[in-house]
Every structure is written in C-alpha cells, then in structure tokens.
C-alpha cells in the first residue's frame, strides 16, 4: 500500500497573501510543513501542489517535490488534481499553513487504512477543554459513534448545552483539519455536487457523509495552530520557537 502526502499551497490568500512563502526562522512556511510531512513513517512521498510559479520555484529551490495545477476552488480539489496523476492507494491532504504539524499525527491518520480495509476517509479530533472553544463557530466540532466514525460536523456547540464544569464529563471534540483518503474515494468526492448541509455549515467534509461515505475519526492530543493571518505567524514564532530548533 503506497501513501502520498499532498500539500495544497496557493499564493492569493485573502487574509494573508503569500503566506506559504512567509519567512519562518529562515525558511518559507511551506518548507517547514514539507519537511515535517517527510518525517512521517507512513508516507512514501510528499508533493506540494500549487498554481503559483513563486511557490513552485521556492519548493524547487529547497529540493522538494512540487507540481503545478490550474486554478481550483478548494484545497481538496487541488489535491485531487495531483492525485489523479498518481498511482498510489492513500492520499493525505496536509494543510500548508500548519507549520507545527507533527509527523506522528499523519501516521495516526494513515494507520487505520492499514488495519481496516473498510476505511475510506480518515481525519483527526482533539478534546475541547474550554467553553469558549465549545461555543466558538470557528472551532468545528465533531461527534462520532462508538466505532469512531463521524456522525456530524458542525460550527454549532454540540453535543447539547454543556457548562464549564461539565466539559470533563462529556466527550466534546474539535475537528483537526487533516485528511487521508483512498485515492479513488477522493476522486469520486470531487465529482459530486455540493450538498445541502455542506453549504449550510460551510464544511466540505459533510459531502462525504451526505453521500453515505463514513469518515473515521482518530483522537490526537497534539494541537495544530494554523496560520490564517500575519498575527498567527507571530504567535507561532513566539510560543513555539524552541520547536523549530529541532
């Protein structure tokens, strides 16, 4: 079974233009993500997918694998464009704006495919520890069944109404936005029409659930901090500077 990690990277981000090339301890941010992904034991290859020549040149300069795509509406579509050219079994969709990614998180996400042939899509979740995050619409919540498959993803506070003192009693989880797919399932996904709850929530993973494809969800204790705006980059630099020395 061959697994390939694909990092979708675009330059024209509305909130932080050129963030893939933002300097982070002497390297462009996408390089940090690439190098960490390459340390995952379950990936046979890592590729950056971009439609921008500046990103293409930067990846080439540090010796990484990179492929050009046309314009795409979403990162998943960009990943699928490259996946369509490959001969492999599993595709990992690795966000290019999460430079604190741990290789072990990728391995955690790929492992179910090795043990459970029925798994088509896999992602990660992390325990919610504060009511502020529980109620935050920007923190996507996920509830799963007893087999670990997602029942639903939502920006709303779910499950139910939970107080600060009850958070330790109830399994409240946030979705961690890394995905792995069987290649054929990813390609099928990009050919489907957008679905009602996907549009209502603004969460494209619901397209899988609405088409009857289960998403297996594995818990991780390690948080991911995405870089959406310049202030996030400064926060990463200040808080996690020791992490970049290794």
């Amino acid at each position: 079974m061959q697994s390939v990690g694909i990092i979708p990277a675009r330059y024209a981000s509305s909130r932080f233009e050129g963030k893939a090339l933002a300097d982070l301890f002497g390297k462009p941010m996408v390089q940090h993500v690439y190098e960490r992904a390459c340390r995952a034991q379950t990936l046979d290859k890592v590729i950056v997918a971009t439609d921008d020549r500046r990103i293409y040149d930067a990846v080439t300069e540090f010796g990484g694998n990179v492929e050009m795509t046309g314009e795409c509406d979403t990162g998943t579509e960009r990943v699928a464009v490259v996946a369509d050219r490959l001969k492999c079994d599993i595709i990992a969709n690795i966000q290019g704006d999460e430079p604190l990614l741990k290789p072990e998180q990728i391995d955690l996400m790929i492992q179910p495919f090795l043990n459970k042939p029925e798994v088509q899509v896999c992602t990660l979740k992390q325990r919610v520890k504060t009511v502020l995050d529980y109620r935050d619409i920007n923190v996507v919540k996920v509830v799963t069944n007893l087999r670990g498959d997602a029942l639903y993803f939502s920006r709303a506070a779910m499950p139910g109404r939970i107080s600060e003192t009850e958070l330790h009693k109830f399994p409240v989880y946030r979705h961690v936005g890394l995905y792995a797919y069987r290649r054929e399932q990813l390609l099928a996904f990009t050919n489907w029409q957008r679905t009602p709850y996907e549009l209502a929530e603004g969460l494209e993973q619901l397209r899988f659930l609405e088409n009857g494809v289960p998403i297996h969800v594995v818990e991780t204790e390690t948080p991911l901090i995405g870089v959406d705006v310049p202030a996030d980059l400064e926060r990463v630099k200040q808080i996690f500077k020791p992490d970049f020395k290794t």
Side-chain angles (χ1 to χ4, degrees):
M1 182 175 292
Q2 289 196 335
S3 302
V4 177
I6 301 178
I7 304 170
R10 66 192 182 102
Y11 192 90
S13 173
S14 59
R15 289 188 290 175
F16 189 175
E17 187 175 40
K19 67 178 177 179
L21 300 182
D23 181 78
L24 198 54
F25 301 101
K27 299 178 182 179
M29 182 165 61
V30 69
Q31 183 175 352
H32 286 284
V33 178
Y34 183 93
E35 291 175 347
R36 286 166 176 257
C38 284
R39 284 161 30 202
Q41 296 181 4
T42 52
L43 293 182
D44 298 291
K45 187 175 185 180
V46 178
I47 302 170
V48 175
T50 186
D51 62 355
D52 192 277
R53 178 58 61 176
R54 288 163 289 190
I55 295 175
Y56 182 95
D57 290 342
V59 176
T60 300
E61 185 174 345
F62 69 71
N65 298 309
V66 58
E67 293 195 20
M68 291 290 291
T69 69
E71 292 187 10
C72 299
D73 291 333
T74 67
T76 304
E77 290 182 10
R78 195 177 306 284
V79 169
V81 168
V82 175
D84 192 39
R85 305 168 183 167
L86 301 174
K87 291 184 179 180
C88 63
D89 303 288
I90 307 300
I91 299 291
N93 182 347
I94 303 166
Q95 301 303 311
D97 59 2
E98 292 178 341
L100 296 175
L101 170 74
K102 298 291 185 184
E104 296 82 7
Q105 291 176 300
I106 298 174
D107 293 333
L108 192 65
M109 187 173 61
I110 297 291
Q111 194 61 43
F113 293 95
L114 308 180
N115 302 327
K116 301 177 181 180
E118 70 275 14
V119 172
Q120 296 295 309
V121 184
C122 190
T123 190
L124 301 177
K125 66 180 180 181
Q126 183 190 21
R127 192 73 180 253
V128 170
K129 297 181 180 179
T130 69
V131 167
L132 185 64
D133 282 347
Y134 170 66
R135 295 173 178 167
D136 189 345
I137 63 171
N138 294 310
V139 176
V140 176
K141 273 69 67 176
V142 57
V143 292
T144 58
N145 62 22
L146 297 179
R147 296 189 304 273
D149 295 334
L151 293 171
Y152 193 64
F153 297 84
S154 181
R155 299 184 183 278
M158 68 172 194
R161 296 180 179 178
I162 297 176
S163 68
E164 187 84 51
T165 57
E166 293 173 315
L167 275 178
H168 72 283
K169 298 179 183 179
F170 295 94
V172 179
Y173 292 96
R174 68 192 301 161
H175 177 224
V176 177
L178 292 173
Y179 296 93
Y181 331 83
R182 294 197 186 274
R183 175 180 173 276
E184 297 304 322
Q185 190 63 74
L186 169 62
L187 297 181
F189 171 88
T190 56
N191 287 321
W192 295 334
Q193 295 293 318
R194 293 183 177 180
T195 50
Y197 288 117
E198 173 190 2
L199 294 171
E201 295 275 10
L203 300 173
E204 64 178 357
Q205 64 267 35
L206 290 171
R207 196 184 315 175
F208 282 115
L209 299 187
E210 291 183 80
N211 279 280
V213 178
I215 300 176
H216 192 64
V217 188
V218 182
E219 183 174 359
T220 177
E221 296 182 359
T222 305
L224 279 178
I225 298 179
V227 176
D228 295 318
V229 296
D232 293 332
L233 185 64
E234 293 305 314
R235 186 159 58 105
V236 167
K237 288 180 180 179
Q238 294 300 319
I239 299 176
F240 295 95
K241 188 173 182 178
D243 196 47
F244 285 105
K245 293 180 180 179
T246 61

